[in-house]
Amino acid sequence: MKFPMIILLSLTFSLAVSTATLAQSAEDEQAIRDQLARFYEGYNEHDADKMVSIYADDADHINVFAEWRKGKPAVREALKRLHAGPGKNDHKTYSIEKIRFIKPDVAVIQVRSLSKPCACGNLSTFVMTKESGKWLVVSFANVEYKLDPKGDKTGITKMPSKVPAGGQLLVVPSGAGQKLANGNEWKIMGYRPAVAVTK
């Protein structure tokens, strides 16, 4: 009689712990969503202080140009310059594609965002930790892709499969295009160094 009672108590305890964990995860997920909403609100308001308010003091921030900012002050200054200059008219819509809890206080989040008026997209990875009850970004990295209105629903322009005669495809910076033998064009938007891809 004692053995089934022990099993029943163990199951009851396990169920209580699982329910509490699920409730905590849902609460943490909402807190992360709220923080990211604040970031994108700040972006659309061109408010660098609001954007970096969700960053840890020692955060790493890598943008689409492979510029690595270390620490909240450096990130704030870079965002101020961006939003006073080339990004002053930018507006982003975004969707959180995935939140993955690595540990109860560490999460990796993938976000897709679309910018206007440049008609370009970003895939961003945020790494967040829960510090003193608040979720903060400790690491951020971003890649950009060109939107293709004729493409599939993902909005990502596919790299052409055919390489022109001569064996090299040049991916050119600053939005300049390279015409291929099959008439397709591939562009990288932004100011990145040219990259040679061999067959």
Side-chain angles (χ1 to χ4, degrees):
M1 194 69 172
K2 285 183 179 179
F3 186 69
M5 184 58 82
I6 291 170
I7 292 175
L8 182 61
L9 288 172
S10 296
L11 289 173
T12 303
F13 177 75
S14 296
L15 182 59
V17 169
S18 296
T19 303
T21 302
L22 286 173
Q24 185 63 43
S25 294
E27 183 180 304
D28 285 327
E29 183 174 322
Q30 187 57 54
I32 288 168
R33 289 179 181 278
D34 291 345
Q35 286 286 75
L36 292 175
R38 180 172 176 77
F39 176 85
Y40 285 102
E41 283 168 13
Y43 190 97
N44 291 333
E45 294 165 6
H46 309 290
D47 183 342
D49 289 324
K50 192 170 190 178
M51 282 184 271
V52 299
S53 70
I54 75 160
Y55 277 64
D57 290 338
D58 61 349
D60 292 293
H61 179 108
I62 300 172
N63 67 17
V64 294
F65 310 115
E67 296 168 336
W68 188 347
R69 309 283 186 235
K70 299 178 183 184
K72 190 187 263 189
V75 175
R76 180 186 291 110
E77 286 311 306
L79 289 170
K80 279 185 178 176
R81 282 195 306 276
L82 173 69
H83 286 272
K88 65 184 176 185
N89 296 316
D90 278 7
H91 184 274
K92 283 187 182 286
T93 56
Y94 74 97
S95 64
I96 297 172
E97 301 286 324
K98 184 176 182 181
I99 297 176
R100 180 181 179 190
F101 289 96
I102 306 300
K103 297 193 320 186
D105 59 349
V106 179
V108 177
I109 305 98
Q110 268 77 43
V111 178
R112 182 186 302 275
S113 63
L114 305 176
S115 297
K116 290 182 180 178
C118 77
C120 51
N122 294 103
L123 292 173
S124 305
T125 299
F126 293 83
V127 179
M128 300 181 79
T129 61
K130 192 175 185 180
E131 299 175 21
S132 301
K134 186 176 182 182
W135 285 94
L136 295 173
V137 176
V138 294
S139 183
F140 169 87
N142 204 16
V143 295
E144 187 175 62
Y145 61 88
K146 176 179 173 278
L147 299 184
D148 182 1
K150 299 175 192 168
D152 60 26
K153 292 180 183 177
T154 65
I156 299 174
T157 300
K158 305 272 190 295
M159 181 67 117
S161 57
K162 275 199 162 181
V163 176
Q168 288 196 333
L169 168 66
L170 188 65
V171 180
V172 231
S174 308
Q178 171 74 35
K179 283 286 185 184
L180 304 180
N182 62 6
N184 288 338
E185 189 174 288
W186 175 254
K187 296 179 181 180
I188 293 287
M189 295 183 70
Y191 301 95
R192 298 189 183 95
V195 178
V197 180
T198 57
K199 56 169 156 171

